[in-house]
Each structure stands twice: as C-alpha cells, then as structure tokens.
Amino acid sequence: MNNQQQPQKINILGWTFRVQYSPEPSSNQRVMLLLHGHLGNENAMWILTKPIPNSYTLIAPRAPVKTGKDQYSWHEISPQWPGLEKYTDLTNKLLTRVDGWLREQNLNFQHFDVMGFSQGALMAYALAILHPHRISKVAALAGFIPQSWVEKLDKRSLLRKSFFVAHGKQDDIIPINKAYQAADWLEDNGAQVTFCAADIGHKLSANCFNGLGNFFD
C-alpha cells in the first residue's frame, strides 16, 4: 500500500500540482490522477491514498478557480451545472499538463486511473466519458453525472470500463439517489460498477475507503 515520501509540489503551465513517484520499476508503474472537490486543493486527496498500491505514481492538481484562502474549484458553482463543453475544456487543459510533465520525466503512459471526490468526481466521470482511450479505472466518490451530459454522450465509450462509486446515505449535498442513477446509467451502457454505500454524509466511509485498495489493486 502507499507509504512513500511526502508529495512534491510542482508547477506545470501555471497550474500547481503535487506528485508522488512510485518506487516500483518503471515497467510495473501506473499513474493515478487525484481530483479534489469544491473548496479543496492539491493537498486534499492524499488522505485517501493509503490503501492505493505502491505501483502508482500519484498526480494531484490544484483546480484553476480560486474561491478563498487555500480553496479552489474546477469552476464556479451556479444553479445550472456546466455542460460537457466546460468539462471538455477543463479535461483537455488537465491532460495537456499531465502529458507534458510525464514526457519531461521520461514516463511513457497513455492510460491513467482516476479518483475524484464531489466536484472532482464529476471531473473523473468527464475524463472517462470524453477521453475513453486515456482512462482505465475510475473511483467517483460522492459525485453524480448531470442529466444534461447523458443526452450527449457516446455510450460506446463506457463499454467494459470499471467504476468504483462510493456515496453516503445521509449526504445532504449530493443525495445518494443521484449516485444510484449514475451507477445504473453506467451499467446500462456496458460499464462494470462496484457500488459502496454507508450511513454517513458527504464523505468517504471506512468500508468504502478499504474498498478503494481492492478496486485499484
């Protein structure tokens, strides 16, 4: 499991990241993107990486919109959730930076796994939906898929992709029924979904935390 040194802070084309290198030989390595939620930052997701195998090089970006002291978001919050066009722009900018950094490190990775929480879970879903050839496994924690996206998607992009969906039954920010809807839609379109629910609010439970390690093993 993940027990490496403190993540290193770097800047890539104006975005702040923290990265943690895998100690494994390059032939055994994988890459995971860690995507924080609304009002988080590049430090927020590391607490969730303890059960993640050491084979991963972990990359945690800071979202581009500053919303307060040490608080950032992927976009402004509004009554109408942004469409796929906004997420196309965000995911393209993120992948451009990640790909450039990997090339500089002589790390040749074309496929990533992704873990995102809340607003970061939507980014994780968007990466899998918009860049299916780049994304392998996805953990979407306390997130949902906007209905406006569903109508515009190429459903074939989800075929045989693996998702770990975790949600709290008492979540009063994103109700759990939205997570069930997302999981049902994913399965209906050929994805493999592991669903983990617990009697908690807008956070990750202990049992779902342990499930992350099994999912990404």
Side-chain angles (χ1 to χ4, degrees):
M1 296 298 123
N2 200 277
N3 56 3
Q4 304 160 40
Q5 298 179 353
Q6 281 293 104
Q8 174 186 353
K9 189 174 182 177
I10 62 173
N11 184 284
I12 308 173
L13 297 177
W15 285 23
T16 298
F17 289 73
R18 283 200 182 274
V19 298
Q20 188 179 77
Y21 296 91
S22 168
E24 299 286 331
S26 58
S27 59
N28 297 334
Q29 286 186 34
R30 295 177 281 175
V31 170
M32 183 184 296
L33 305 181
L34 306 173
L35 306 176
H36 69 78
H38 178 55
L39 306 183
N41 57 42
E42 71 280 8
N43 302 313
M45 296 292 290
W46 295 97
I47 193 172
L48 302 180
T49 65
K50 187 174 181 180
I52 303 303
N54 280 335
S55 55
Y56 280 100
T57 288
L58 302 172
I59 305 175
R62 175 195 292 174
V65 178
K66 186 170 184 178
T67 51
K69 181 177 173 55
D70 296 327
Q71 295 178 330
Y72 298 84
S73 295
W74 293 98
H75 53 77
E76 300 289 349
I77 299 298
S78 62
Q80 183 68 36
W81 202 268
L84 272 177
E85 297 81 6
K86 179 64 174 179
Y87 278 81
T88 298
D89 179 61
L90 284 168
T91 56
N92 284 342
K93 288 178 177 176
L94 175 59
L95 289 179
T96 294
R97 287 162 170 79
V98 172
D99 285 341
W101 180 79
L102 288 171
R103 284 194 299 270
E104 289 178 359
Q105 306 304 308
N106 293 315
L107 296 173
N108 183 25
F109 290 98
Q110 293 301 312
H111 299 90
F112 310 134
D113 291 341
V114 188
M115 176 165 60
F117 177 81
S118 195
Q119 195 185 58
L122 275 88
M123 276 289 289
Y125 279 135
L127 281 164
I129 289 165
L130 295 169
H131 306 274
H133 59 295
R134 303 298 309 278
I135 306 302
S136 299
K137 292 184 175 184
V138 176
L141 317 177
F144 72 104
I145 299 176
Q147 185 61 34
S148 63
W149 294 11
V150 171
E151 301 163 356
K152 300 180 181 179
L153 300 181
D154 180 359
K155 299 176 181 179
R156 293 171 298 179
S157 67
L158 298 170
L159 192 62
R160 290 185 293 276
K161 286 202 172 297
S162 296
F163 291 82
F164 180 87
V165 178
H167 216 93
K169 296 178 182 178
Q170 305 301 321
D171 193 330
D172 58 357
I173 297 176
I174 301 174
I176 194 171
N177 69 295
K178 289 183 175 291
Y180 284 127
Q181 290 170 358
D184 288 344
W185 183 80
L186 291 168
E187 289 184 331
D188 288 346
N189 290 286
Q192 299 173 343
V193 179
T194 301
F195 197 98
C196 183
D199 194 23
I200 58 168
H202 193 64
K203 56 185 179 180
L204 186 69
S205 67
N207 64 311
C208 296
F209 176 78
N210 293 331
L212 282 173
N214 295 329
F215 178 72
F216 286 115
D217 194 10

